[in-house]
């Protein structure tokens, strides 16, 4: 896609975020746009970054590594953050640590411990979020809601990691297998917010920065903002439909 149309689409997404925030009585400045770049080539991602994007998310380690050289200057300058937003296997953490600034998909203590050990050895701090499967759909990764608070408290206490908040993917199907309605999607987002609030209120070691709620994508970002999203992750509305 030509970079001019990426810039146009980005402007449209930003105005959608603004409208959703104002409608919810929130300051639009509280909602950050993460551009989800899966399947997009390095030129398209670079075009988005040139158009002002300062936070991107990748789902696959292989794509993270392939596009890293095209983004390295911005990352080194501190003007671009790169988050891992896909399921992360422990045997891939070295590649993730060398190419990203944060991991939104911590869903198990073993993974958090492995990241922590590596960060301590490298004398660095990694931003992490706990991914929660609020919808309970078994196709989605993330810790079950009932285990999210204890996992977050354990992660927060690990050296080398900074717990910045929580991430989820909104419900797609309802309990009967039909497309989820707005109420079901919102209820899931509200659940993530309640988990975040409980962790912040705990005052437990390492929880003071756990403010972020990364939730909402192209189809449901308005609902997520209404429920308190501080980061929305958008791909399709920026780049157009992905090739299958
Ligand atoms: C693909 C993806 C997005 C963006 O989805 P769109 O519907 O294209 O906006 C957000 N978050 C995650 C985890 C994704 O995999």
């Amino acid at each position: 896609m030509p970079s001019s149309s990426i810039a146009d689409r980005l402007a449209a997404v930003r105005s959608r975020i603004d409208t959703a925030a104002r409608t919810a009585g929130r300051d639009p400045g509280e909602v950050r746009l993460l551009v989800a770049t899966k399947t997009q080539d390095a030129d398209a991602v670079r075009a988005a970054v040139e158009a002002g994007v300062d936070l991107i998310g990748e789902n696959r380690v292989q794509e993270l590594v392939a596009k890293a050289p095209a983004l390295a200057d911005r990352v080194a300058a501190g003007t671009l953050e790169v988050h891992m937003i896909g399921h992360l296997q422990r045997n891939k953490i070295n590649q993730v640590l060398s190419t990203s600034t944060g991991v939104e998909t911590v869903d198990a203590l073993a993974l958090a411990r492995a990241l922590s050990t590596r960060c301590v050895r490298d004398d660095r701090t990694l931003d992490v979020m706990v991914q929660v499967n609020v919808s309970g759909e078994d196709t989605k990764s993330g810790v079950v809601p009932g285990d999210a608070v204890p996992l977050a408290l354990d992660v927060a206490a690990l050296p080398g990691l900074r717990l910045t908040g929580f991430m989820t993917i909104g419900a797609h199907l309802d309990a009967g297998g039909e497309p989820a309605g707005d109420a079901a999607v919102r209820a899931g987002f509200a659940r993530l917010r309640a988990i975040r609030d409980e962790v912040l209120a705990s005052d437990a070691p390492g929880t003071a920065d756990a403010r972020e709620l990364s939730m909402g994508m192209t189809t449901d970002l308005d609902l997520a903002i209404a429920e308190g999203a501080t980061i929305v992750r958008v791909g399709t509305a920026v780049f157009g439909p992905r090739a299958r």
Side-chain angles (χ1 to χ4, degrees):
M1 187 186 309
S3 51
S4 60
S5 60
I6 289 179
D8 289 347
R9 283 169 180 271
L10 271 170
V13 170
R14 291 210 171 90
S15 94
R16 210 177 133 194
I17 291 170
D18 269 33
T19 304
R22 287 182 212 287
T23 305
R26 301 182 57 202
D27 173 359
E30 291 173 8
V31 186
R32 234 179 134 190
L33 171 63
L34 174 152
V35 171
T37 52
K38 62 172 175 275
T39 77
Q40 306 300 330
D41 64 19
D43 287 346
V45 180
R46 186 74 201 184
V49 169
E50 305 280 347
V53 169
D54 62 3
L55 175 59
I56 65 168
E58 277 290 353
N59 288 68
R60 293 186 191 82
V61 174
Q62 207 181 337
E63 286 193 59
L64 202 55
V65 171
K67 292 171 226 179
L71 306 171
D73 57 338
R74 300 266 176 154
V75 173
T79 56
L80 177 66
E81 286 174 75
V82 179
H83 286 184
M84 177 64 181
I85 61 171
H87 182 66
L88 176 56
Q89 290 169 318
R90 262 190 288 162
N91 61 357
K92 302 257 174 73
I93 66 174
N94 285 354
Q95 287 151 288
V96 168
L97 282 168
S98 58
T99 50
S100 66
T101 61
V103 173
E104 297 197 8
T105 48
V106 171
D107 60 358
L109 190 55
L111 173 62
R113 286 210 176 105
L115 289 167
S116 167
T117 301
R118 206 21 235 272
C119 287
V120 168
R121 198 199 302 160
D122 293 353
D123 194 22
R124 65 175 279 191
T125 303
L126 180 74
D127 287 350
V128 296
M129 296 186 202
V130 167
Q131 182 181 3
V132 185
N133 184 358
V134 293
S135 69
E137 287 165 36
D138 51 17
T139 53
K140 295 198 166 94
S141 37
V143 66
V144 298
D147 293 342
V149 172
L151 174 62
L153 298 185
D154 285 343
V155 171
L158 290 172
L161 304 183
R162 185 173 78 107
L163 182 69
T164 60
F166 298 84
M167 179 271 205
T168 198
I169 297 171
H172 185 56
L173 302 173
D174 69 15
E178 298 296 318
D182 286 1
V185 175
R186 278 190 74 145
F189 292 148
R191 188 137 197 210
L192 195 72
R193 189 185 61 223
I195 290 165
R196 190 262 327 253
D197 290 348
E198 188 177 338
V199 168
L200 275 179
S202 75
D203 259 335
T207 58
D209 291 339
R211 272 175 258 102
E212 307 288 355
L213 291 174
S214 175
M215 58 191 196
M217 322 201 312
T218 293
T219 55
D220 56 14
L221 70 89
D222 319 81
L223 299 174
I225 289 170
E227 292 296 342
T230 64
I231 297 176
V232 290
R233 306 180 310 269
V234 182
T236 306
V238 174
F239 297 111
R242 284 179 288 276
R244 288 186 164 261

